[in-house]
Amino acid sequence: MDAILLIDFGSTYTKLTAVDLENESILATAKALTTVESDIMIGFNNAYKELEEKLGDREVNFIDKLACSSAAGGLKMVAIGLVPELTAEAAKRAALGAGARILGVYSYELTRSDMNEILSKKPDIILLAGGTDGGNRDCIIHNAKLIAEHIKDVPIVVAGNKNARDEIEDLFTQNNIYYKATDNVMPRLNVLNVEPAREVIREIFMSKIVEAKGMKNAEKYISGILMPTPAAVLKAARVLADGTDMEDGMGDLVVIDIGGATTDVHSIADGEPTKPGVTLRGLQEPYAKRTVEGDLGMRVSAESLWEAAGTKRIKKYIPDTPFNIEERCKYLQKNVNILPSTKEEEEFDEALGMVAVEISMERHVGVLESVYTPMGIVYSQVGKDLLQTKYLIGTGGILVHSPNPRKILSAGLFDRNKPNYLKPENPEILIDRTYILSAMGLLAERYPDKAIRIMKKYIVKA
Amino acid sequence: MKKTIVIGVIGSDCHAVGNKILEHAFTQAGFNVINIGVLSSQEDFINAAIETNADAILVSSLYGHGELDCRGLREKCDEAGLKGILLYVGGNLVVGKQDWESVKQRFLAMGFDRVYAPGTPVSVDIADLKKDLGIEE
């Protein structure tokens, strides 16, 4: 039978998913440790062996092999803008939506020490923005000059004031800097335009970064490493929400991915106010929005999760736990491969997951502020209103393997005690039981209709 | 090259109608208008002016708390690198029946270049703006 092989070169595991195209079903999945230090194909072959065993004597002909990757640290980016709340924020959102890990966000005119700091962080790509179209040129040109002087071997994406573009292109060409220029991430004040920058980041990822990370080997065997893994998850979420010409989408949804090091939240919704009399303020929100919480994770970030949440907030979910919460979090951070073996340990992990969901959703959704005016209370909203979101979908190890994914995800729902956070009030809670979201983002590149139907089949009620 | 101006309503003030009229009138008069809308803080005005490289900031205040909301705006502009940017203010700036001349003097002392009494036709602002920015009629 004809099948497609979807590969996720993850930071820890290389995960394979074999999809039967005709029956639109998952044939088998397999995983093995990622081996990017030596040769990425060793880990791939280990996983492939396991996959072949699971496929047994079925005749499978892989007509396409598509991959995404977050190996070797993922796609690491630095975003530069002018005002922190405006073009710097817009640049950050563009990079996050492209599936990047943000190493730093810089604003205003940079200095030599900023340049040294950026260099020491070793970014894969730098996104340079600043100024609305027709607005401030001085800042982005100043920063481009500094980059041309100090940074030689990092690809630059230029997405700022269009009136500065020619000058910057000339400058970078003269200095032999690899760059791509595209549309401004904030063409007009508070108007966000992240898609062109996302697309250019992806092009550079495919043409340059894959090779730089020692994954060129893999490209001989597979058809292409198309995007960073988080971008594949966002793509899957978007296709599932929007549908295609042929296949209906599910409508507004939120995907939460709890990992060992980070918790990612993706929302596909315009986030307009759902209550009357609310004034929307601040920078426009991306329709497909991704936020990453680097301090909220189950293992590598367990201690920072405790620091962010505090003992009380974790204890709320496990009042009778025998563990000292601070010590247990520090212990988990040092022993990242530990799996819970007792009921108490399992409950502890669940509580960490719930806190990660609760806080990451608080940071992702919009906030309603009451403003007391002589005419009475009025409300101003910054960020997305997700109260009416129809689906909340969980993915990631803790959720996929937990017997209580519904309980964990419920921590992300609207809370009457904190009504200013515009979290989903009454969504249907679903779980990515077979862990296929990133694979479906890849499949959607070629076969969007099939990807939607498979997701509808395999993403189930929690 | 069109001149860019930032307009908006400052503070906890949500009078949106006049704000829209000003946007329309200034656009008609040939300005590139950046309207940050109601409920805007001093920082919102400043950030918008920086990104758009604006030539002037026009602050509206309709609910009587203008004096509290506007205090310190000139100093913050100086801090943010917008030294010498034109600052105009207008609307119902204070509550009660206060002597207009003293109100005007207070706002001028705060660093505003022009202060407009309630009921000033927008044509007056436009003419002043053109004069201050050196635009030939």
Side-chain angles (χ1 to χ4, degrees):
Chain A
M1 78 186 87
D2 283 348
I4 286 207
L5 182 62
L6 303 159
I7 306 143
D8 175 4
F9 293 108
S11 46
T12 318
Y13 289 106
T14 296
K15 292 169 275 246
L16 306 186
T17 307
V19 173
D20 176 349
L21 274 183
E22 199 183 330
N23 295 311
E24 295 175 353
S25 64
I26 309 290
L27 290 167
T29 61
K31 68 176 183 182
L33 285 170
T34 297
T35 51
V36 76
E37 315 275 271
S38 49
D39 175 358
I40 190 113
M41 293 311 284
I42 298 174
F44 172 82
N45 286 326
N46 290 339
Y48 195 75
K49 246 176 260 158
E50 189 194 323
L51 189 79
E52 278 185 319
E53 277 163 28
K54 286 188 177 169
L55 289 171
D57 44 16
R58 281 176 285 183
E59 283 276 321
V60 175
N61 169 37
F62 288 119
I63 56 168
D64 221 344
K65 306 182 187 85
L66 306 173
C68 58
S69 160
S70 53
L75 172 61
K76 291 174 292 188
M77 286 188 63
V78 161
I80 301 173
L82 173 49
V83 174
E85 295 87 352
L86 296 172
T87 44
E89 177 67 22
K92 178 183 160 195
R93 288 183 189 172
L96 280 172
R101 235 179 77 198
I102 307 288
L103 302 177
V105 181
Y106 294 82
S107 38
Y108 302 118
E109 290 189 357
L110 301 184
T111 60
R112 278 198 297 273
S113 65
D114 287 333
M115 282 294 129
N116 290 331
E117 195 181 300
I118 291 173
L119 276 173
S120 71
K121 288 179 173 169
K122 297 192 172 28
D124 298 314
I125 298 177
I126 294 173
L127 175 55
L128 178 63
T132 53
D133 284 349
N136 183 295
R137 300 168 73 241
D138 300 344
C139 179
I140 190 171
I141 289 174
H142 170 93
N143 291 339
K145 281 181 183 154
L146 268 188
I147 288 172
E149 210 175 301
H150 291 91
I151 297 178
K152 291 294 167 202
D153 46 6
V154 182
I156 315 284
V157 173
V158 182
N161 184 355
K162 81 179 167 75
N163 301 82
R165 186 164 157 176
D166 288 348
E167 199 169 328
I168 294 171
E169 292 204 48
D170 291 346
L171 181 73
F172 283 170
T173 310
Q174 281 159 22
N175 287 278
N176 289 319
I177 297 207
Y178 182 90
Y179 76 93
K180 275 185 192 250
T182 184
D183 296 344
N184 195 346
V185 286
M186 195 180 88
R188 282 177 292 133
L189 189 79
N190 283 340
V191 172
L192 196 69
N193 175 42
V194 289
E195 296 301 331
R198 285 181 183 179
E199 200 43 49
V200 167
I201 292 167
R202 205 180 90 156
E203 282 167 22
I204 297 181
F205 175 80
M206 284 173 69
S207 64
K208 286 251 161 193
I209 311 302
V210 166
E211 186 175 353
K213 291 195 180 291
M215 290 186 283
K216 202 73 197 161
N217 268 345
E219 296 222 303
K220 281 180 211 139
Y221 177 74
I222 60 187
S223 321
I225 298 180
L226 301 182
M227 56 184 104
T229 305
V233 175
L234 191 60
K235 168 93 186 175
R238 190 163 185 169
V239 167
L240 185 61
D242 292 351
T244 60
D245 200 20
M246 301 296 291
E247 196 64 38
D248 283 340
M250 290 170 49
D252 291 358
L253 54 85
V254 171
V255 174
I256 300 187
D257 183 349
I258 313 175
T262 65
T263 299
D264 289 25
V265 180
H266 308 78
S267 65
I268 315 293
D270 61 20
E272 296 283 320
T274 56
K275 296 224 155 84
V278 174
T279 309
L280 194 54
R281 302 184 19 75
L283 182 62
Q284 190 187 6
E285 293 283 324
Y287 170 68
K289 177 176 183 175
R290 168 175 177 248
T291 48
V292 180
E293 307 309 335
D295 59 343
L296 304 176
M298 301 296 299
R299 292 293 180 268
V300 179
S301 307
E303 189 179 344
S304 53
L305 185 150
W306 169 77
E307 280 167 5
T311 300
K312 210 179 276 169
R313 223 167 161 180
I314 302 174
K315 194 138 187 150
K316 173 177 75 181
Y317 294 115
I318 34 170
D320 304 321
T321 187
F323 295 109
N324 175 311
I325 289 179
E326 177 181 350
E327 277 166 22
R328 176 79 184 165
C329 285
K330 287 181 173 166
Y331 174 78
L332 289 173
Q333 169 141 3
K334 287 194 193 86
N335 300 278
V336 296
N337 293 320
I338 289 233
L339 293 173
S341 53
T342 66
K343 190 162 172 291
E344 285 78 19
E345 288 172 6
E346 209 167 80
E347 282 171 356
F348 194 90
D349 268 10
E350 272 177 19
L352 288 189
M354 290 170 84
V355 171
V357 168
E358 186 186 326
I359 299 180
S360 63
M361 281 297 281
E362 268 178 23
R363 294 180 188 168
H364 183 90
V365 301
V367 179
L368 206 58
E369 220 180 289
S370 19
V371 184
Y372 297 91
T373 79
M375 288 81 70
I377 296 183
V378 296
Y379 295 95
S380 91
Q381 174 188 330
V382 175
K384 284 173 132 177
D385 178 344
L386 299 177
L387 288 169
Q388 306 295 329
T389 306
K390 282 169 42 199
Y391 297 97
L392 179 62
I393 302 173
T395 185
I398 166 84
L399 286 169
V400 172
H401 297 121
S402 162
N404 300 312
R406 187 180 182 82
K407 182 172 141 200
I408 298 173
L409 287 167
S410 296
L413 299 185
F414 179 79
D415 180 355
R416 233 164 263 288
N417 297 316
K418 291 181 178 176
N420 48 333
Y421 292 105
L422 303 171
K423 298 176 173 182
E425 264 183 314
N426 195 18
E428 196 167 327
I429 298 182
L430 306 177
I431 180 85
D432 174 20
R433 190 57 86 191
T434 24
Y435 215 157
I436 54 165
L437 267 178
S438 58
M440 289 304 113
L442 288 170
L443 187 67
E445 283 287 302
R446 303 279 158 95
Y447 305 94
D449 297 340
K450 288 181 189 292
I452 294 172
R453 288 194 289 267
I454 294 173
M455 281 191 275
K456 283 180 181 167
K457 212 187 293 181
Y458 284 86
I459 294 175
V460 294
K461 249 194 171 134
Chain B
M1 192 62 188
K2 274 188 182 181
K3 295 286 184 184
T4 299
I5 62 171
V6 173
I7 70 168
V9 186
I10 200 164
S12 305
D13 188 347
C14 50
H15 287 89
V17 178
N19 172 256
K20 294 283 178 207
I21 295 172
L22 286 185
E23 175 176 351
H24 180 75
F26 283 114
T27 306
Q28 285 292 308
F31 291 97
N32 175 29
V33 180
I34 312 293
N35 186 1
I36 62 172
V38 300
L39 296 176
S40 295
S41 66
Q42 292 188 358
E43 289 73 17
D44 292 339
F45 280 96
I46 290 169
N47 288 340
I50 293 174
E51 289 280 6
T52 61
N53 208 22
D55 302 287
I57 295 176
L58 282 67
V59 178
S60 298
S61 177
L62 283 301
Y63 73 148
H65 299 231
E67 197 176 338
L68 285 173
D69 293 334
C70 291
R71 200 173 283 158
L73 178 60
R74 173 58 81 188
E75 289 77 6
K76 276 191 201 163
C77 284
D78 290 349
E79 281 289 346
L82 296 172
K83 212 161 178 70
I85 191 168
L86 275 183
L87 286 183
Y88 288 12
V89 65
N92 299 314
L93 296 178
V94 291
V95 278
K97 290 193 176 73
Q98 298 190 31
D99 167 50
W100 171 246
E101 194 50 37
S102 82
V103 172
K104 184 175 170 184
Q105 287 310 322
R106 263 180 276 158
F107 278 85
L108 289 174
M110 271 188 239
F112 284 90
D113 297 289
R114 291 187 187 267
V115 186
Y116 295 101
T120 308
V122 66
S123 56
V124 175
D125 308 53
I126 290 171
D128 287 344
L129 200 50
K130 285 187 172 168
K131 197 165 127 205
D132 290 351
L133 292 173
I135 300 170
E136 300 286 322
E137 283 291 339

